[in-house]
């Protein structure tokens, strides 16, 4: 089960301090486990937003460290070069340990494509091979449907596309075992949705 | 990618004023009541969605708009895009949305749980009925899976049995033919001539057995989709549900369980099994089939990756089933063993070895199967070959963490393989340090503990060596351009890596197993060769985690170490003192004071050398303090007058040398604290062998001159020089009353470190001041 999916920046943002990240899309797959019922819905929402920021910041550092260590030069891909951008992407994984963010020992899987990162927070002992494949697939669609390699702001104004594609690829956070034919069928379905 | 335009949009969304938002909502409300859904409506909803999600604090939307959005959500004729947007807006806005199902969402968990069970009852009702529109059940299954994971106690036994029966149908009895495809056939073939094409395996061969996720078809029927959904959630279901299901008061379930006890879990009589057990049986068969199907060479990369994921999932599911019903173990092992035989040595399938190793760990004892080969492959080869694969590294370390106590006890080469396992950490220090802090204690064994300490201290060297090994593998020596492109420093190190004369050094540092010796003689040489890599990011990051590991190491070791080991540890500390925290030295000596006498030769040698002051001042200061504290007959009867005298003479010589007042003397490069600690230690030693008192008094009397000399005055602050003078004065006075001095200068009860000499809370200065005051009143002589 996936607990949440995020799209956020990993490049410096002028309005924020160094190390901070801007979350462009966040989807939490409820319900959350035993949080204690002492909080109002308002407080719970705030706490959830804070938790997501903590995760996003940790991914930002992980991406920076990974890129520094591998020392590879980053070639900026443009619209139309989505496959290349995905091929060059760095990926990694870390555990949230006992931090009281999500269920104990949740695992964060991330994929860094140029100045953005796609992150999945999974429950412990999840099938990470499957999660990795799913994350790449979702990222591919996001890059294409939201034209992320271009300068536009579709990620903010067409976020319903991400909702729709998560509904098909990761319904309620359930990871699915798609072979390439299931993938093609869903690609068509998603293309249908986007064209409307 | 991320542009200023995006940033300003977010700013706008956050800063929109309340009245403006209300007006915007009013406009949307009107738009939603018009007949046609225009692009304008969709755009406006998208903007509203952005506004409600952009802030941390929830925005309140007018209730009529919220009601309208809920209506849209429930209406099946509404275009999906509007439903998606409505759902998202409702989720994000305040007050929290109230579904028609739960009209009064209270904070009471019991109430919420009942509400959830209402939802679940609806879901299982949906599953029960025959459906022409399979869409609903396709989407209901993930919801059911999620609810049963989060609230497993919610389902009754009846419901579990019902669902289990449906799951068996989908899992095992899905259609064997392709779905009807809208566009198949082409222009010339009519509906009657179109034969449903057979399904194929991933390698193109026509499939002969039941449908699984690894079967390919042009399009899929509804139950084939359900097959895929079912397999995707079956592990979670088997793990969480059956054990939690509430027993119902139905006679039927009792009959079922008595049947169970009469029938064993074999496939021929599976029809007689109760639903839960039957599901287990079918899931087992499904997994076996998937493992067989994974042997085929897939034509598409997506399918190859899926095969790997299927192997991991299948082995895990079989592991769970065998855990619930050990009779499955005998059926599972031949399959798992064959799988291991196939995957062993294939680097692309290394991640699949971990669930297999887990299976062996859990069940090999029951089956009396030898698991040594599996763990040998896992610990002796895997890390050395794939330390740079981040996912594998993570999963490997998680596996070790999860099974640490069992591995320690039952798998001989686990602890022996720490040089290999630490390679994961050396390569990705920041990513894995949290895990290793927990894992390290399990790697400490009494026979290899010293070697482990050296390995931890050499971790940055290991990181550098691994880096060179990778680069060397990538670039041919003849390809000078690629070689030189990496920078002169790295190129020089690469050259060294390739040299036959250094082969032994690198082979040692890159060894897979412990036991070939604590450390190598020519470690210094290795450090020199790798010095140029010291600034590479990986090495720097590695160096940063070493102190953390050392803390964990010492905390663990000091709890279990015997006398012999403590002696060895002290030697290592002295040898590698530049890298080690002084607190470890203190902790060690406090735990076992006789160490000082045991290792007096080495400690004396270390303390006698002023060079150690300049390179490792903090550590040196602690060594001096430890001597003053623990070199005493009260701690170790072997502490002779000769021994005390020899330590005294060495420290006296050092103090003399560093406080020489000459015309050409340069300002002291050490801190004033070193002076005070030296003075105090000398005084302490003198109280234990009182012939030395005149000598120390003479030494101390020279401190005033030293402190007032020009180079020192420019270097130390007024307070520091005053403190040195005052302390020297107090010590001299104290030593006039040797018996009192012995008491005051005895080891402090708290065993504190060499406190900052101005710390007025420390008992020693206080004690001394009290005595000093006393003396002052009774004595008229003061040193000049």
């Amino acid at each position: 089960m996936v607990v949440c999916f995020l799209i956020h920046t990993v490049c410096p943002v002028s309005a924020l301090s160094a190390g901070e990240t801007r979350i462009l899309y966040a989807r939490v797959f409820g319900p959350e486990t035993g949080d204690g019922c002492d909080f109002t819905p308002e407080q719970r929402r705030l706490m959830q937003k804070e938790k997501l920021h903590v995760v996003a910041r940790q991914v930002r550092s992980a991406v920076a460290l990974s890129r520094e260590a591998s020392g590879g030069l980053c070639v900026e891909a443009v619209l139309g070069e989505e496959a290349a951008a995905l091929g060059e992407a760095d990926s990694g994984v870390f555990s949230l340990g006992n931090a009281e963010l999500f269920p104990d020992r949740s695992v964060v899987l991330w994929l860094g494509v140029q100045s953005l990162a796609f992150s999945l927070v999974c429950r412990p002992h999840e099938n990470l091979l499957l999660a990795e494949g799913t994350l790449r697939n979702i990222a591919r669609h996001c890059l294409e449907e939201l034209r992320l390699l271009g300068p536009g702001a579709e990620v903010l104004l067409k976020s319903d596309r991400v909702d729709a594609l998560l509904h098909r690829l990761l319904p309620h956070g359930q990871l699915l075992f798609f072979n390439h034919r299931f993938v093609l069928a869903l690609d068509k379905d998603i293309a249908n949705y986007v064209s409307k | 990618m991320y542009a200023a335009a995006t940033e300003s949009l977010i700013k706008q969304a956050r800063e929109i004023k309340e009245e403006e938002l209300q007006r915007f909502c009013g406009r949307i409300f009107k738009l939603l009541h018009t007949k046609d859904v225009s692009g304008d409506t969709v755009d406006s909803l998208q903007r509203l969605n952005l506004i409600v999600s952009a802030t941390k604090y929830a925005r309140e939307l007018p209730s009529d708009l919220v009601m309208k959005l809920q209506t849209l959500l429930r209406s099946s004729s509404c275009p999906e895009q509007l439903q998606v947007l409505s759902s998202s807006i409702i989720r994000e806005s305040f007050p929290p949305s109230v579904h028609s199902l739960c009209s009064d969402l209270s904070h009471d968990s019991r109430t919420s749980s009942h509400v959830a069970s209402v939802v679940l009852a609806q879901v299982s009702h949906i599953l029960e009925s025959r459906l022409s529109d399979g869409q609903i059940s396709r989407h209901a299954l993930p919801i059911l899976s999620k609810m049963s994971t989060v609230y497993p106690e919610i389902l009754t036994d009846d419901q579990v049995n019902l669902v289990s029966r449906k799951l068996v149908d989908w899992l095992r009895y899905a259609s064997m033919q392709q779905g009807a495809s809208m566009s198949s056939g082409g222009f010339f073939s009519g509906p009657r001539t179109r034969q449903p094409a057979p399904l194929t395996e991933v390698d193109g061969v026509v499939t002969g057995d039941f449908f699984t996720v690894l079967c390919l078809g042009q399009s899929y029927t509804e139950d084939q989709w359900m097959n895929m959904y079912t397999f995707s959630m079956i592990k979670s279901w088997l793990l969480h549900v059956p054990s939690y299901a509430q027993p119902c008061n139905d006679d039927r379930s009792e009959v079922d369980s008595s049947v169970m006890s009469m029938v064993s879990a074999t496939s021929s009589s599976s029809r007689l099994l109760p639903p839960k057990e039957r599901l287990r049986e079918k899931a087992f068969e499904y997994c076996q089939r998937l493992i067989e199907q994974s042997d085929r060479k897939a034509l598409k990369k997506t399918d190859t990756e899926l095969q790997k994921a299927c192997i991991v999932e299948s082995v895990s599911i079989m592991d769970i089933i065998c855990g619930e019903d050990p009779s499955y173990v005998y059926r599972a092992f031949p399959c798992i063993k064959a799988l291991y035989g196939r995957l062993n040595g294939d680097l692309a399938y290394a991640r699949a070895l971990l669930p297999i190793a887990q299976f062996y760990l859990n069940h090999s004892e029951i089956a009396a199967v030898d698991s040594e080969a599996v763990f040998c492959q896992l610990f002796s080869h895997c890390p050395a070959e794939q330390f740079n694969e981040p996912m594998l590294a993570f999963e490997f370390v998680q596996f070790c963490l999860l099974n640490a106590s069992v591995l320690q006890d039952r798998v001989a080469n686990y602890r022996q393989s720490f040089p290999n396992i630490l390679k994961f950490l050396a390569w990705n220090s920041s990513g894995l340090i949290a895990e290793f802090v927990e894992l390290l204690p399990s790697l400490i064994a009494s026979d290899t503990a010293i070697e482990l300490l050296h390995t931890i201290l050499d971790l940055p060297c290991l990181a550098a060596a691994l880096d060179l090994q990778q680069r060397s593998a990538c670039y041919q020596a003849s390809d000078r351009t690629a070689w030189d492109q990496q920078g002169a420093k790295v190129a020089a190190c690469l050259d060294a890596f390739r040299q036959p004369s250094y082969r032994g050094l690198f082979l040692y540092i890159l060894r897979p197993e412990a036991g070939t010796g604590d450390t190598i003689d020519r470690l210094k040489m290795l450090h020199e060769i790798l010095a140029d890599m010291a600034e590479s990011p990986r090495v720097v990051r590695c160096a940063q985690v070493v102190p953390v590991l050392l803390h964990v190491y010492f905390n663990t070791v000091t709890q279990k170490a015997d006398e012999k080991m403590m002696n060895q540890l002290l030697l290592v500390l002295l040898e590698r003192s530049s890298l080690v925290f002084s607190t470890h030295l203190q902790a060690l000596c406090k735990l076992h004071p006789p160490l000082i006498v045991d290792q007096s030769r080495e400690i004396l040698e270390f303390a006698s050398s002023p060079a150690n002051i300049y390179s490792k001042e903090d550590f040196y200061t602690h060594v001096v303090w430890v001597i003053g504290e623990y070199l005493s007959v009260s701690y170790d009867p072997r502490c002779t007058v000769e021994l005390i005298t020899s330590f005294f003479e060495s420290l006296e010589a050092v103090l003399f040398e560093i406080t020489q007042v000459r015309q050409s003397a340069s300002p002291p490069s050490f801190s004033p604290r070193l002076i005070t600690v030296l003075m105090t230690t000398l005084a302490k030693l003198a109280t234990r062998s009182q012939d030395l008192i005149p000598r120390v008094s003479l030494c101390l009397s020279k401190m005033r001159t030293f402190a007032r000399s020009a180079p020192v005055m420019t270097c130390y602050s007024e307070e520091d020089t005053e403190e040195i003078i005052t302390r020297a004065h107090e010590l001299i006075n104290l030593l006039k009353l040797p018996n009192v001095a012995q008491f005051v200068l005895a080891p402090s009860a708290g065993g504190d470190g060499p406190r900052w000499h101005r710390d007025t809370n420390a008992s020693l200065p206080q004690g001394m001041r009290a005595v000093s005051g006393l003396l002052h009143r009774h004595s008229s002589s003061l040193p000049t």
Side-chain angles (χ1 to χ4, degrees):
Chain A
M1 284 262 128
V2 170
V3 175
C4 79
F5 169 71
L6 295 172
I7 305 178
H8 56 98
T9 58
V10 290
C11 57
V13 175
S14 53
L16 300 171
S17 51
E20 281 291 330
T21 157
R22 179 76 74 202
I23 294 183
L24 300 172
Y25 177 87
R27 177 72 201 274
V28 177
F29 299 104
E32 289 170 47
T33 47
D35 218 355
C37 309
D38 306 322
F39 304 111
T40 64
E42 173 78 357
Q43 285 171 322
R44 246 182 265 142
R45 182 203 147 98
L46 185 60
M47 266 169 47
Q48 194 182 86
K49 294 270 179 190
E50 299 283 357
K51 286 182 194 178
L52 294 176
H53 271 95
V54 171
V55 173
R57 277 199 297 271
Q58 288 193 24
V59 172
R60 166 128 166 77
S61 333
V63 172
L65 289 172
S66 165
R67 286 178 176 174
E68 194 196 12
S70 59
L73 292 164
C74 207
V75 179
E76 293 274 317
V78 293
L79 280 170
E81 296 175 350
E82 280 82 12
L86 210 50
E88 292 284 322
D90 344 53
S91 62
V93 59
F94 60 87
S95 163
L96 287 172
N98 294 323
E100 287 149 24
L101 291 173
F102 292 105
D104 245 16
R105 307 200 154 263
S106 290
V107 171
V108 181
L109 207 57
W110 56 264
L111 192 66
V113 181
Q114 290 173 185
S115 48
L116 295 182
F118 303 89
S119 307
L120 275 184
V121 179
C122 306
R123 290 179 75 97
H125 312 305
E126 193 54 73
N127 187 329
L128 289 180
L129 266 168
L130 187 65
E132 224 187 309
T134 307
L135 182 59
R136 275 189 187 265
N137 201 13
I138 295 174
R140 171 177 67 90
H141 279 287
C142 287
L143 284 172
E144 286 166 12
E145 317 307 348
L146 299 173
R147 298 165 59 82
L148 289 174
L149 292 175
E154 283 93 343
V155 62
L156 296 176
L157 293 174
K158 302 226 185 288
S159 59
D160 63 295
R161 292 183 182 179
V162 189
D163 281 334
L165 84 92
L166 288 178
H167 186 64
R168 287 157 176 75
L169 299 179
L170 197 57
H172 302 284
Q174 176 73 58
L175 290 166
L176 296 170
F177 284 80
F178 293 130
N179 59 46
H180 83 271
R181 296 243 57 116
F182 278 113
V183 169
L184 282 174
L186 285 170
D187 280 356
K188 243 193 276 177
D189 198 17
I190 292 169
N192 268 345
Y193 175 91
V194 172
S195 64
K196 287 200 187 108
Chain B
M1 264 179 117
Y2 183 71
T6 321
E7 185 64 19
S8 77
L9 251 177
I10 293 182
K11 193 158 181 280
Q12 277 177 44
R14 286 177 150 186
E15 292 173 1
I16 184 170
K17 300 243 180 13
E18 195 55 36
E19 320 95 60
E20 213 184 313
L21 176 61
Q22 297 299 324
R23 264 182 285 144
F24 187 47
C25 290
R27 213 170 49 235
I28 296 179
F29 186 74
K30 285 206 198 87
L31 280 171
L32 287 173
H33 277 90
T34 59
K35 254 211 187 132
D36 303 312
V37 176
S38 64
D40 207 16
T41 316
V42 172
D43 268 342
S44 305
L45 280 174
Q46 280 170 338
R47 279 179 195 272
L48 182 60
N49 189 18
L50 176 60
I51 291 169
V52 295
S53 1
T55 50
K56 281 188 189 172
Y57 295 95
R59 297 272 201 159
E60 188 164 348
L61 296 180
S63 51
D64 55 356
L65 178 61
V66 175
M67 297 306 290
K68 180 67 189 168
L69 291 174
Q70 283 185 22
T71 317
L72 276 179
L73 199 52
R74 288 202 298 274
S75 135
S76 50
S77 59
C78 175
E80 189 185 352
Q81 196 174 25
L82 289 188
Q83 283 186 318
V84 169
L85 283 165
S86 305
S87 170
S88 182
I89 293 170
I90 293 172
R91 271 201 316 266
E92 288 284 340
S93 60
F94 180 84
S97 77
V98 286
H99 302 283
S100 57
L101 285 170
C102 16
S103 52
D104 190 50
L105 195 69
S106 74
H107 300 320
D108 166 20
S109 70
R110 188 161 37 95
T111 310
S112 306
S113 156
H114 287 307
V115 165
S117 64
V118 169
V119 172
L120 265 165
Q122 300 245 345
V123 168
S124 54
H125 175 75
I126 290 167
L127 288 177
E128 264 182 57
S129 58
R130 284 174 190 279
L131 298 155
S132 51
D133 181 7
Q135 289 286 334
I136 301 174
S137 55
R138 196 202 288 189
H139 296 135
L141 207 51
I143 300 175
L144 180 64
S145 171
K146 169 147 252 156
M147 296 300 269
S148 59
T149 312
V150 176
Y151 300 114
E153 63 277 6
I154 259 178
L155 295 171
T156 65
D157 223 34
D158 261 352
Q159 287 168 327
V160 170
N161 286 337
L162 166 70
V163 174
S164 302
R165 279 188 211 110
K166 288 297 305 181
L167 294 179
V168 164
D169 277 341
W170 286 320
L171 212 48
R172 194 61 181 75
Y173 302 110
S175 320
M176 281 303 296
Q177 286 170 338
Q178 290 201 34
S181 170
M182 299 268 270
S183 55
S184 68
F187 187 71
F188 288 104
S189 54
R192 256 170 282 165
T193 58
R194 246 183 269 141
Q195 292 286 333
L199 297 161
T200 65
E201 300 286 346
V202 291
D203 56 2
V205 170
V206 170
T207 190
D209 209 342
F210 62 87
F211 182 85
T212 70
V213 297
L214 286 174
C215 293
L216 304 176
Q218 285 284 353
S219 75
Y220 292 111
T221 61
E222 200 51 40
D223 57 355
Q224 286 165 350
W225 278 91
M226 293 311 292
N227 178 294
M228 184 266 290
Y229 271 79
T230 305
F231 178 67
S232 303
M233 50 80 83
I234 198 73
K235 184 170 107 175
S236 172
W237 178 267
L238 289 174
L239 208 49
H240 290 107
V241 175
S243 40
Y244 281 103
Q246 300 299 321
C248 56
N249 298 322
D250 199 329
D251 287 327
R252 208 170 19 141
S253 64
E254 286 184 29
V255 172
D256 280 343
S257 53
S258 61
V259 169
M260 172 55 198
S261 60
M262 289 192 296
V263 172
S264 63
T266 57
S267 41
S268 54
S269 51
S270 69
R271 286 248 160 238
L272 298 171
L273 290 172
K276 280 182 241 149
E277 283 73 16
R278 192 144 177 265
L279 178 59
R280 216 185 272 160
E281 171 66 35
K282 296 304 165 193
F284 189 86
E285 286 174 12
Y286 196 101
C287 292
Q288 278 182 312
R289 172 140 160 77
L290 279 183
I291 290 175
E292 283 164 40
Q293 283 177 299
S294 306
D295 202 7
R296 296 171 181 272
K297 187 131 175 46
L299 298 172
K300 296 268 183 193
K301 182 160 178 265
T302 315
D303 296 337
T304 313
E305 294 308 305
L306 186 67
Q307 283 175 313
K308 288 183 200 163
C310 285
I311 290 176
V312 168
E313 190 82 355
S314 302
V315 175
S316 304
I317 293 174
M318 286 168 96
D319 198 345
I320 294 169
I321 294 176
C322 290
E324 287 175 2
D325 184 353
S327 64
Y328 279 95
V329 174
Y330 303 101
R331 283 166 67 187
F333 251 117
C335 177
I336 304 275
K337 257 202 267 191
L339 178 64
Y340 173 73
R342 245 169 61 199
L343 302 182
N344 187 17
D346 188 346
L347 291 179
Y349 283 86
R351 284 169 76 179
L353 279 185
L354 290 166
I356 293 175
Q358 186 69 62
F359 188 92
Y360 270 87
L361 213 54
N362 291 343
H363 306 291
S364 63
E365 263 187 28
I366 295 178
V369 168
D370 180 25
S371 53
E372 204 184 301
V374 173
F375 292 110
C376 180
Q377 170 68 19
L378 194 67
F379 292 115
S380 307
H381 296 106
C382 190
E385 289 154 8
Q386 301 195 288
F387 55 85
N388 58 337
E389 298 284 333
M391 304 291 177
L392 173 68
F394 179 79
E395 291 181 315
F396 193 104
V397 175
Q398 293 288 359
F399 169 80
C400 293
L401 257 180
L402 192 63
N403 299 293
S405 43
V406 180
L407 288 171
Q408 259 185 290
D409 294 333
R410 281 172 40 199
V411 178
N413 73 332
Y414 167 64
R415 286 195 281 189
Q416 286 296 104
S417 305
F418 70 73
N420 248 2
I421 297 174
L422 283 171
K423 286 178 187 167
F424 290 125
L425 182 63
W427 190 257
N428 182 9
S429 314
S430 34
L432 292 172
I433 183 61
E435 276 74 24
F436 269 89
V437 162
E438 284 190 56
L439 192 64
L440 190 64
S442 71
L443 290 171
I444 301 176
S446 47
D447 50 345
T448 50
I450 300 296
E451 191 183 339
L452 177 59
L453 178 56
H454 280 289
T455 309
I456 295 174
L457 293 166
D458 289 328
L459 213 61
C461 280
L462 178 58
L466 289 172
D467 198 326
L468 291 173
Q469 189 184 51
Q470 284 299 98
R471 290 177 201 258
S472 180
C474 289
Y475 304 108
Q476 292 303 312
S478 50
D479 188 2
R480 283 319 295 199
T481 40
W483 204 262
D484 293 330
Q485 241 173 25
Q486 299 170 78
K489 286 188 173 179
V490 176
C493 291
L494 267 171
D495 278 332
F497 185 76
R498 289 283 185 102
Q499 280 220 35
S501 50
Y502 296 138
R503 201 88 205 99
L505 289 176
F506 283 106
L507 278 176
Y508 178 77
I509 202 92
L510 293 168
R511 71 201 185 287
E513 259 184 9
T516 49
D518 288 351
T519 180
I520 40 170
D521 296 331
R522 300 185 297 154
L523 200 61
K524 255 184 125 37
M525 188 184 303
L526 184 66
H527 292 165
E528 281 163 31
I529 299 169
L530 294 173
D532 278 336
M533 297 280 289
E535 278 153 29
S536 90
R538 225 179 273 285
V539 176
V540 167
R541 214 104 29 79
C542 199
Q544 286 167 348
V545 305
V546 169
V548 179
L549 284 178
L550 287 174
H551 272 294
V552 176
Y553 178 88
F554 277 100
N555 281 342
T556 315
V557 157
T558 46
Q559 284 166 28
K560 302 191 278 190
D562 62 5
E563 198 180 303
K564 179 163 166 265
M565 174 156 338
M566 296 226 210
N567 272 285
Q568 290 175 309
L569 287 173
L570 184 67
L571 285 175
V572 174
L573 291 185
L574 287 174
E575 194 187 318
R576 317 275 313 251
S577 50
S578 54
L579 291 166
V580 167
F581 282 173
S582 319
T583 43
H584 303 305
L585 172 73
Q586 225 171 293
L588 210 56
C589 293
K590 181 177 175 182
L591 210 57
H592 193 70
L595 277 175
I596 308 289
V597 176
D598 285 332
Q599 303 297 342
S600 54
R601 197 168 60 90
E602 278 77 15
I603 298 177
L604 190 57
E605 208 180 301
F606 182 87
S608 315
S609 161
N612 284 331
I613 297 178
Y614 305 119
S615 55
K616 315 155 191 179
E617 184 186 318
D618 185 65
F619 188 74
Y620 183 87
T621 312
H622 274 80
V623 171
V624 173
W625 183 84
V626 147
I627 293 169
E629 193 71 357
Y630 297 111
L631 189 68
S632 151
V633 108
S634 56
Y635 277 114
D636 191 338
R638 299 169 297 167
C639 187
T640 59
V641 164
E642 286 81 29
L643 196 59
I644 293 179
T645 310
S646 57
F647 268 95
F648 180 91
E649 284 176 349
S650 302
L651 291 178
E652 184 194 34
V654 167
L655 183 61
F656 182 69
E657 187 178 322
I658 63 176
T659 55
Q660 268 189 1
V661 179
R662 291 188 303 260
Q663 280 283 0
S664 53
S666 47
S669 57
F670 41 85
S671 75
R673 189 179 70 149
L674 176 60
I675 303 287
T676 48
V677 172
L678 269 168
M679 292 194 300
T680 315
T681 298
L682 285 168
K684 284 179 184 174
L685 293 178
T687 63
R688 295 168 201 160
S689 170
Q690 298 186 0
D691 295 339
L692 299 168
I693 292 182
R695 282 172 73 170
V696 74
S697 299
L698 183 63
C699 189
L700 289 169
S701 63
K702 296 195 176 124
M703 288 299 110
R704 190 193 181 91
T705 325
F706 163 76
R708 289 264 175 247
S709 70
V712 175
M713 293 292 281
T714 53
C715 188
Y716 291 162
S717 71
E718 183 66 34
E719 290 169 329
D720 287 335
T721 38
E722 270 314 306
E723 188 60 37
I724 292 175
I725 296 170
T726 314
R727 177 66 72 94
H729 172 53
E730 286 167 355
L731 283 170
I732 292 171
N733 281 345
L734 198 56
L735 290 168
K736 288 181 185 157
L737 303 169
N739 295 335
V740 180
Q742 212 168 29
F743 164 71
V744 172
L745 294 174
S748 44
D752 299 317
R755 302 265 209 156
W756 180 235
H757 58 200
R758 272 190 271 126
D759 183 355
T760 50
N761 291 327
S763 56
L764 186 54
Q766 258 185 348
M768 285 188 9
R769 283 203 176 93
V771 175
S772 225
L774 258 168
L775 288 172
H776 210 78
R777 270 178 256 146
H778 293 284
S779 150
S780 54
S781 64
L782 289 167
T784 46

